[in-house]
Amino acid sequence: MGELETYALIDFIPFEAEAYFRLFARQNLSIWPSQLLTLPLGLLALWLAWRGRARPLGILLGLCWIWVGISFHLRLYAELSWAATYVGWAFIVAGLLLMALALPIGARTARTSGLGTKFLGGIGLGLSGLALYPLMPLVTQLSWQEAQVFGVAPDATTLVTLGCLLMTGRPTWPLAILPLAWCCASGATWLALGWMPGLLLPVGGLIFIALALWPSFERPAPARSVSELEPSARRGETCFLDRTLTRPDTAGARHEPES
Amino acid sequence: MDRRALIKLIGAGVVTATTRPLGAAALTSPRLIAKPIPSTGEPLTVIGMGTWQTFNVGSDQPLRDARTSVLQAFFAAGGQLVDSSPMYGSSQDVVGDALDRLGHPERLFSADKVWTRDGDETRAQTTVSAAKWRIGRFDLMQIHNLLSWEAHLERLAEMKAQGEVRYIGVTTSHGRRHLELEQVMRGNALDFVQLTYNPADREVEARLLPLAREHGMAVIANRPFRGGGLVDRLQRRGGPLPGWAGEIGCHNWPQLVLKWIVSHPAVTCAIPATSRVDHMRENMGAAVGELPDEALRARMLEAIQTA
């Protein structure tokens, strides 16, 4: 370890909490009242995830990530930290990935989990991102201007995205890597700045990992002909969030029980 | 008579004054404490200002206004040395904006750092930094955390010889790389060294501070409050100040800590950072009054350590 042992987490954060909170206020003020659209957009994302609408879901989430990368990280956060430039580009890449993996597929993702653990966990994460972050000023010392909103602030956007990925049953890990990386980076920042409500995101990330790895004991599907499978599976296409679902023996599973 | 000459004349008096017991000297106020820079005798107010984290507010205008008020309070209380670095995000820009709005106070002693691995970038980065500060040249240019120090030091020595900077130095922080710093100090002509020194980080007392005195180098003490943790602890659990603190003009724990630091004979200046005007005024209170003698200094340390 050597020299690293002499550093504390705060030594890697080149700004004070006040300046960081102000980024959210400046972001909100600059785009007001478009935040009013983000709640319905977030609900739409959850609905699309529930319905397995991969293409519109990927486009919606991808655009949100690209927007947050440009308008928050590159435009504002980069003023305080050179690392934010790289984070901004990572958000743009994450957005492109969400869109790229969705666009060529265009298939419905099977609603594999029904009301199972993962589905409910995904709903919980998604609603937390949509509702808890904007309402934090009620229970913390934040001002309403500093509220974090889905599609505008990175943490809320990340949590909703993880929720959508989880709702589909078996999240595709390449799509989850960058959101999970932001969970770590953001959690470390909030921890260093001493704002404990900010740990909601890394906790959400841990819940996502735990539920994503949660074993699914799928009931063996009865043997069916290819004609009985979903259109995407018949075409041999892979699904947006769960490539394994295209296998003939599971493609039609809707409500497999989970332990 | 220009400003520099005037300061030097005043400084000559300071050099004499600081050799007395309770070595304190006046600069512009009879009660303001300044110490001479060993290489020239130019006096420097013993409390300066750091900008790490506190001045990194980007283009946020309300926060820039607030930082301008902090800097204004600093100069109003007799402060001189302001220290920054290219590593500190937008701090250089914010300092430059504040200086512009304050009309570039004459008493500013500008200190910045070279922070790049490229040893050929010394002059270029210094020029960029000066543009951000909106000044013609720096009083002091240091090598940040000894990064590529051999190449940078050679360039800085050239720049000093050509009058592009007035003083040169090197920095460390968090008690790191002391062995290397000692080697640099032994083998090179430096005007300043910057290192971490506070009542909880005293390793430098053994070798580096005596070495600085021996080689005639000014010492800037960074992290005087250990990033704020030391003062937070004292104010939370330390209770009231000892009765004798008032004898040396200390009215709160931050002042006691700062005055203890700058009363070390080798220390020229401490650079606490703050984003609050009231804290700035508190800090600058340590630059007023008298410095403790060795016996009182020992009592101060005991009070801080047992609080």
Side-chain angles (χ1 to χ4, degrees):
Chain A
M1 291 289 286
E3 274 192 8
L4 281 180
E5 293 170 356
T6 65
Y7 287 95
L9 196 52
I10 190 64
D11 296 325
F12 295 97
I13 308 295
F15 45 81
E16 292 186 314
E18 180 189 30
Y20 196 51
F21 283 127
R22 281 282 304 164
L23 296 183
F24 299 104
R26 293 167 66 194
Q27 169 86 327
N28 283 329
L29 287 170
S30 67
I31 63 169
W32 176 258
S34 50
Q35 292 92 332
L36 298 178
L37 288 175
T38 62
L39 181 61
L41 281 179
L43 290 172
L44 175 63
L46 294 181
W47 182 80
L48 291 171
W50 176 53
R51 300 299 301 171
R53 302 291 299 278
R55 177 181 292 173
L57 176 63
I59 292 173
L60 174 58
L61 291 177
L63 287 175
C64 287
W65 275 75
I66 291 170
W67 165 249
V68 171
I70 293 171
S71 67
F72 182 83
H73 290 295
L74 294 179
R75 185 173 69 97
L76 293 173
Y77 195 11
E79 288 184 353
L80 305 188
S81 171
W82 55 267
T85 303
Y86 298 101
V87 177
W89 282 108
F91 265 62
I92 292 169
V93 169
L96 292 174
L97 273 176
L98 281 163
M99 292 198 293
L101 291 183
L103 283 171
I105 297 160
R108 287 182 57 186
T109 302
R111 282 179 283 127
T112 57
S113 298
L115 295 178
T117 310
K118 293 178 183 176
F119 182 84
L120 291 176
I123 284 279
L125 291 182
L127 290 178
S128 298
L130 280 180
L132 288 187
Y133 275 105
L135 294 178
M136 274 188 185
L138 286 176
V139 292
T140 66
Q141 293 182 330
L142 291 185
S143 71
W144 285 105
Q145 289 182 349
E146 294 165 340
Q148 300 178 43
V149 181
F150 166 74
V152 178
D155 287 18
T157 305
T158 302
L159 202 51
V160 172
T161 301
L162 289 177
C164 289
L165 292 178
L166 198 54
M167 282 172 68
T168 59
R170 291 179 189 162
T172 303
W173 287 102
L175 291 179
I177 287 174
L178 288 172
L180 289 174
W182 176 249
C183 289
C184 296
S186 178
T189 302
W190 289 124
L191 193 62
L193 296 177
W195 195 67
M196 294 306 122
L199 299 186
L200 173 63
L201 182 63
V203 168
L206 289 174
I207 291 172
F208 172 86
I209 292 171
L211 291 180
L213 295 175
W214 192 270
S216 296
F217 297 102
E218 297 165 3
R219 186 179 298 135
R224 295 180 299 172
S225 66
V226 171
S227 62
E228 292 177 294
L229 301 177
E230 292 200 12
S232 61
R234 284 204 304 272
R235 290 194 301 270
E237 293 170 340
T238 55
C239 287
F240 169 38
L241 299 171
D242 184 0
R243 295 172 187 278
T244 63
L245 295 177
T246 57
R247 293 201 306 266
D249 60 339
T250 58
R254 294 282 185 179
H255 302 288
E256 77 276 23
E258 293 178 306
S259 62
Chain B
M1 181 180 298
D2 67 12
R3 172 190 167 229
R4 301 289 180 207
L6 178 64
I7 286 174
K8 283 188 177 179
L9 282 179
I10 297 170
V14 171
V15 174
T16 307
T18 50
T19 58
R20 298 199 308 261
L22 297 176
L27 180 60
T28 58
S29 156
R31 296 168 59 228
L32 196 63
I33 308 169
K35 284 188 173 186
I37 298 168
S39 61
T40 62
E42 178 180 343
L44 203 56
T45 306
V46 292
I47 304 299
M49 190 188 84
T51 57
W52 166 243
Q53 294 179 327
T54 54
F55 270 62
N56 185 14
V57 300
S59 59
D60 191 319
Q61 201 54 53
L63 293 189
R64 283 192 171 213
D65 294 344
R67 300 308 180 269
T68 301
S69 299
V70 170
L71 198 56
Q72 188 174 30
F74 173 71
F75 287 124
Q80 288 183 273
L81 190 148
V82 178
D83 179 74
S84 193
S85 169
M87 200 195 90
Y88 299 173
S90 60
S91 293
Q92 293 173 310
D93 269 326
V94 175
V95 168
D97 181 44
L99 288 174
D100 247 5
R101 294 158 74 180
L102 295 174
H104 286 270
E106 275 289 293
R107 60 185 313 110
L108 169 69
F109 187 97
S110 54
D112 209 290
K113 306 183 188 82
V114 179
W115 179 62
T116 169
R117 292 189 187 282
D118 188 344
D120 295 326
E121 282 292 306
T122 319
R123 185 174 271 107
Q125 192 174 73
T126 301
T127 302
V128 170
S129 295
K132 289 181 176 178
W133 279 63
R134 305 174 197 186
I135 58 177
R137 67 169 180 173
F138 285 106
D139 293 303
L140 167 62
M141 184 52 67
Q142 308 153 99
I143 299 164
H144 194 127
N145 277 341
L146 297 174
L147 187 65
S148 302
W149 67 267
E150 285 156 310
H152 288 313
L153 197 54
E154 194 178 327
R155 306 284 182 283
L156 285 179
E158 293 169 9
M159 292 168 65
K160 182 186 171 188
Q162 293 165 11
E164 295 174 57
V165 294
R166 298 176 59 224
Y167 299 101
I168 60 176
V170 296
T171 79
T172 65
S173 66
H174 298 72
R176 289 188 289 268
R177 304 179 73 173
H178 281 181
L179 279 177
E180 192 175 356
L181 176 59
E182 183 177 339
Q183 290 168 3
V184 177
M185 289 170 69
R186 288 190 184 281
N188 298 276
L190 301 171
D191 298 303
F192 278 80
V193 290
Q194 184 179 141
L195 41 75
T196 296
Y197 182 49
N198 61 56
D201 295 301
R202 299 172 53 212
E203 187 187 317
V204 295
E205 287 177 345
R207 299 173 69 90
L208 294 180
L209 292 181
L211 191 62
R213 288 194 83 184
E214 182 187 327
H215 288 252
M217 297 172 185
V219 173
I220 299 173
N222 62 31
R223 292 178 58 81
F225 300 144
R226 274 199 137 194
L230 177 60
V231 162
D232 287 347
R233 180 180 67 80
L234 289 169
Q235 291 182 326
R236 199 170 51 245
R237 299 192 316 207
L241 283 177
W244 45 259
E247 295 173 20
I248 50 170
C250 291
H251 305 292
N252 49 59
W253 286 107
Q255 288 176 359
L256 199 74
V257 170
L258 288 174
K259 196 158 269 194
W260 179 84
I261 292 169
V262 300
S263 60
H264 189 288
V267 173
T268 311
C269 177
I271 49 170
T274 180
S275 51
R276 288 175 48 173
V277 170
D278 58 335
H279 286 176
M280 173 55 75
R281 290 183 179 135
E282 268 184 9
N283 294 344
M284 291 309 295
V288 173
E290 294 182 335
L291 289 177
D293 59 19
E294 198 53 43
L296 188 50
R297 200 165 180 271
R299 291 173 69 189
M300 293 166 77
L301 181 61
E302 187 184 359
I304 293 166
Q305 289 177 331
T306 58

